[in-house]
Structures are given as C-alpha cells and as structure tokens.
Amino acid sequence: MLLDPLTLPCGAVLRNRIAKSAMSDSLGDGTGQPTAAQANLYRIWAEGGAAVSIIGEVQGSPLFAEKPGNLVLQGGDAEAPWEALAEAGRTGGAHLWAQLGHAGAMAHPPISPDPKGPSALDVPGLKCAALSLPDIRALPDAFARTAKLAEARGLGGVQVHAAHGFLLSQFLSPLFNRRGDAYGGSIQNRMRLVLEVVEAVRDAVAPSTPVAVKLNATDQLDGGLTEDDALRVAAELSGRGVDLLDVSGGTYFPGAPSASDAGGKGPYFADFARAARGKIDAPVMLTGGVKTQAQARHVLESGTADMIGLARALILAPDLPQRWEAGEDIEFPRFSTPPPPGGITAWYTMRLTALAEDRAAEDLEPAAALAAYDARDAERAEAWRAAFDLPAPH
C-alpha cells in the first residue's frame, strides 16, 4: 500500500502514501522570500519519491512568524523565487503545499514586537496580549488571502496549521484560550475559529486544489487539548471540504518536551488517528514516530491512517521512499551526550541546510548545532526587522 496512489476528495492524485510533513526548514532569506537552496531541497525530496512535501511555515503577515527563516506571502512579493520553488517541488509529478502559519502567542520575540494570542498570558518564557474580537474576525480572510496567493504562485495545495501550539492550536487549547465570548469556553466555541478559517480557505482556492488541516491529537500538557475534544474537532471538519487530516501532537510551549524528541518506539498518536479516520470524510495522515518500512506498512494495512508523514527520516535519507521500495531501512543517530532543549531539532535543521546546499553535513553534537542555529536566527532577525520596518526587541 505504500506505493499505491491516493485520490483526494478534491480529485487531486498523490502518487504514493509517503509525505514530507511540514517542519520549520528555516531556509527563507530572512526577509520572507524563498531561496535557491530551498527550491533545491524540495526538488531533492520530489526526486526521492515523496508524493507531497509541505512547506513549514508560510506566513500571511511578518508580525507573527514562528522563526525568521519562515516565508511570508502577502502580495507584492517578487514572483520568480516562489515560482522557482513551486516548479522544483513539482518535479516528477510530486505535490508541493504551503503550510499556512500564524504563531500567535508563540511568535518569535526578536521579530514580533506585539505578540497576541486568544488570551493575555504572562508566564515564564511567554508573554502576550489578547486578540480583540475584530482581530479574530479578520483572521479567516487573512488565511484565505494567503492560500489564494500560494495557489497563484504555483503551489499545488495548502495546509491549515492547527497544531503544535501555534495560533489556531492555541484557540483549541484551554491553557491558551480563556476567552468568555463565542471563541472560548466549550470546545464548540474553541474550535469556531479553526472551522471559519478552513471554510474561508476552501472557498478561496479552486475546487481542485487540496486543502489539508494539521491537528493535534493532544497538546501533551496538563490542562491542554484532550483527545476527546480533538476528535470532536475532527468530526466537525467533515463536510467542510478538507482533503487530508494530518494528525500530530505536542506543543512548543516554553519548557514542554517535543513529541519528536520522544524516545519511544513506533508511531505516535496511532490510536487517535484510527479514531479520527472514523470521524472525518477525508483521508488521514499520521505524522510522527514512523521510522521503518514495516511500521509504515502496518499503519496503512491496519486501517490506522491513509498516509504516512515523515520529516527527520527524509533529512537523513531524502530518497527514503525509493529505499523502502527496495526493502531498505535507515539508522537514526544516537548522541554521545544528553542534548540540550531544542538541540535535536537544531541538529536536524542544520543537517537539512547542508542537504539543501549540496554539501556534506558538519559532524556536530546537538549543543554545537543549537549554537549555530541560534546564531543564524539572530542574523536573520536583524534582516527581518529591517525588511519589515520593525523595532528591535526591548
């Protein structure tokens, strides 16, 4: 089943069941524009056999970005870099989709002078104001504009990002969302913005353009989004033109462990994916924890999900779909010293950069990779503030 094509509800056909799931590739030029290295990376993944690659993240505004390596698509942008990226990602019949992002309360402080989330928060490592009701009501159209621009630039689809603690995920979570109006309280109210954004995006793009949603199975935080509430969201997404539900989990709340750094074996959130598949009228993709061909095949053949989302595995072996076709698996790294928080993510991101630039990766421990990653972000933050006329952080 790994090599079987998948026809989405909109009619688009994915050539197999393996996706390069969204991750913050951090390869923008620091002013929100794609780079030649970024185009090269998505060409490599397309040539390696992935059916679809999802760019994380494409922002509609520079004010609430997750990192200064994100892309920004707001009209008036130079079209050529975007069209080059789209062409590269379509190599060999692959799809390239934009993940529509808005970090909300989790916006990167050096480039976000006024972060806002569902509710005002002031906790260690995180401070933000609350979005006003007019701010919230403007968001569906803002996401829709970005989706339409992505489509116009040649990207083959979009994914609404409602996971990992970013804005739409924040609205779903009782930890972030303490509102007392129509967008807070019950899960029916907390999911209202997600549903409005999905409907606006679906209406903005062509009926044949795929619209995916990335949803947390759980925030993995006490008092956060529960699996029962997440299943209610999945059920409510039925009938709204969703073409693929991407199941993931965890949040980037300061101090929270990353689901992708977990030491367990086997797919994460498999039980949730199986349950969600029975709630929504769209295929389900399971992202996280799949490391072997046997695990991937079991997910599909057991009816747990319809697609497999891979990220770090495709950094280690961008031709992994072809290797799996030949019956080969890969080895994942083991580090000699305990990595610092964020160190493993930084290690993979710097290795991804080397892949994009067609050079050998440096042999770095996670702590050294994190230092290099942070230094690069600091340089790009300066470029970002200059490009978008933003003040330096206090």
Side-chain angles (χ1 to χ4, degrees), residues 143-180:
F143 274 89
R145 283 194 301 273
T146 309
K148 196 164 187 174
L149 284 168
E151 182 182 54
R153 297 291 186 271
L155 299 176
V158 294
Q159 182 187 76
V160 175
H161 194 0
H164 297 168
F166 298 119
L167 182 70
L168 298 181
S169 176
Q170 291 161 25
F171 269 88
L172 295 174
S173 173
L175 283 178
F176 285 92
N177 187 347
R178 303 170 185 175
R179 300 183 69 90

Side-chain angles (χ1 to χ4, degrees), residues 22 33 72 102 104-105 115 171 180 190 245 317-318 328 343 373 375 377 381:
Q33 295 299 294
V72 181
H102 186 308
F171 269 88
R190 285 184 278 122
L245 179 67
E328 301 175 14
Y373 175 83
D377 268 0

Side-chain angles (χ1 to χ4, degrees), residues 270-362:
D271 291 343
F272 178 88
R274 187 181 298 108
R277 194 166 179 253
K279 300 284 187 182
I280 189 170
D281 59 349
V284 170
M285 181 165 90
L286 177 60
T287 296
V290 176
K291 295 184 176 181
T292 68
Q293 179 191 176
Q295 290 170 345
R297 289 176 54 201
H298 179 72
V299 166
L300 299 177
E301 293 169 3
S302 66
T304 298
D306 304 281
M307 284 203 73
I308 305 297
L310 303 172
R312 292 177 175 180
L314 288 173
I315 296 175
L316 297 173
D319 61 345
L320 186 60
Q322 296 173 4
R323 294 193 190 197
W324 278 359
E325 184 176 0
E328 301 175 14
D329 279 317
I330 62 171
E331 292 290 328
F332 284 75
R334 296 184 178 184
F335 302 106
S336 59
T337 57
I344 295 178
T345 295
W347 186 90
Y348 277 97
T349 304
M350 300 313 291
R351 190 178 179 103
L352 174 154
T353 303
L355 178 64
E357 295 175 352
D358 289 327
R359 58 178 174 81
E362 296 179 70

